[in-house]
Amino acid sequence: MNFSNWGDKRYYSLKSFLKNKFGEKVYKIAVDAGFSCPNRDGTIGAEGCIFCSPRGSGDFAGFRNESICSQLMDSPKGSRTLASRHGIEKYIAYFQAYTNTYADIEELRQKYYEALSVPGVVGIAIATRPDCLGEEVLSLLEEISHDTYLWVELGLQTIHQHTADIIRRGYSLPCFEQAVNNLNRLGIDTVCHLIFGLPGESGEDMLASVKYIAQKNLQGVKLHLLHVLKGTHLAHMYNNNEIVLLTMDEYVNLIVDTIELLPPEMVIHRLTGDGPRDILIGPGWSMNKREVLNSIEKELIHRDSWQGKCFKQ
């Protein structure tokens, strides 16, 4: 198997994709644009998804009391630091925290274009919910996609409705499918999030979600380990022994199974994640991200496997 387009990895990473697209290393800088979420403000629910942190899963983003420009340029992981220390000169502005299409359309336009005004920003990534992509928002996203490279991230997490109810996702699978169809129609790259280790799900359940997205017109996927974070309902469930966390070996094997099932052209934006150390309850092994990634690579080599090896159209 020729892995040259994948940067000599056995899967198509975001790092390789961005280098192929822009001809050099591109770094993603996360921002908190000050938005809310319909699953927190009472529109759908008031407590959010059971795993979502108090910062709306934007714990590694900038701070919402700072401007978009300031977060992108002056934060510890901002463009000034990246340019001076690492020589990186191109960036993706990643609207990460909470729901980033959930605001007045003019506020969305102003913040997106503020990000685009920052020197070196060559694209925008927008994390949102599939039920927050109305016609006005879609029109704005289409407009932006004509001005820059854009991808939209949708937090599917699982295809199983019983699990979706447990985690308080707040929308149905057909809603997700309609959002993907709408974004496909506009030619906007779409990235799907999956979480492994959700309450009550077996390995077969998790891989069923993988097989589902492998057949959809999705350009990318983010694979997450379920983290238990302080201040979440999941922490309450964990303390009451209502959930069992995955071991590292279980997770590594699930990830390699997943890589084998995904189409070779689908970009894998993430293979694992690391929760903030100050609020992470478990699993503790996830804090050693390098060891997890090395273990995934070793298992791929051990199996003599690669992305798409078991993919069936």
Side-chain angles (χ1 to χ4, degrees), residues 172-189:
S172 66
L173 191 59
C175 177
F176 170 81
E177 292 174 344
Q178 184 61 58
V180 172
N181 290 339
N182 288 337
L183 292 167
N184 287 167
R185 171 172 52 84
L186 300 177
I188 295 171
D189 281 1

Side-chain angles (χ1 to χ4, degrees), residues 28 94 96 151 153 191-195 220-224 267-271:
K28 190 171 60 173
Y94 179 30
Q96 181 182 32
W151 79 72
E153 299 186 7
V191 178
C192 165
H193 290 229
L194 292 180
I195 297 179
V221 62
K222 270 189 174 179
L223 304 170
H224 299 265
V267 181
I268 299 179
H269 285 234
R270 172 175 288 173
L271 288 176

Side-chain angles (χ1 to χ4, degrees), residues 22-28 87-92 120-122:
F22 293 102
E24 61 187 88
K25 189 171 183 178
V26 179
Y27 196 90
K28 190 171 60 173
I88 299 171
E89 298 182 343
K90 290 183 179 179
Y91 318 98
I92 300 292
V121 169
V122 294

Side-chain angles (χ1 to χ4, degrees), residues 14 20 35 78 92 108 112 146 168 213 218 235 271 274 297:
L14 177 63
N20 291 339
F35 300 128
I92 300 292
L108 294 175
Y112 297 158
H146 293 157
R168 302 195 299 236
I213 69 161
L218 296 164
L271 288 176
D274 45 350
E297 188 66 32

Side-chain angles (χ1 to χ4, degrees), residues 255-270:
I255 289 294
V256 175
D257 290 343
T258 295
I259 290 171
E260 292 176 342
L261 290 166
L262 293 175
E265 69 276 6
M266 183 180 286
V267 181
I268 299 179
H269 285 234
R270 172 175 288 173

Side-chain angles (χ1 to χ4, degrees), residues 13 16 23 36 111 114 132 143 146 159 185 194 207 229 256-257 259 275-276 290 308:
S13 69
S16 293
S36 182
K111 290 185 175 180
E114 181 181 350
C132 293
E143 172 190 326
H146 293 157
I159 64 168
R185 171 172 52 84
L194 292 180
L207 293 179
L229 304 176
V256 175
D257 290 343
I259 290 171
R290 179 170 294 179

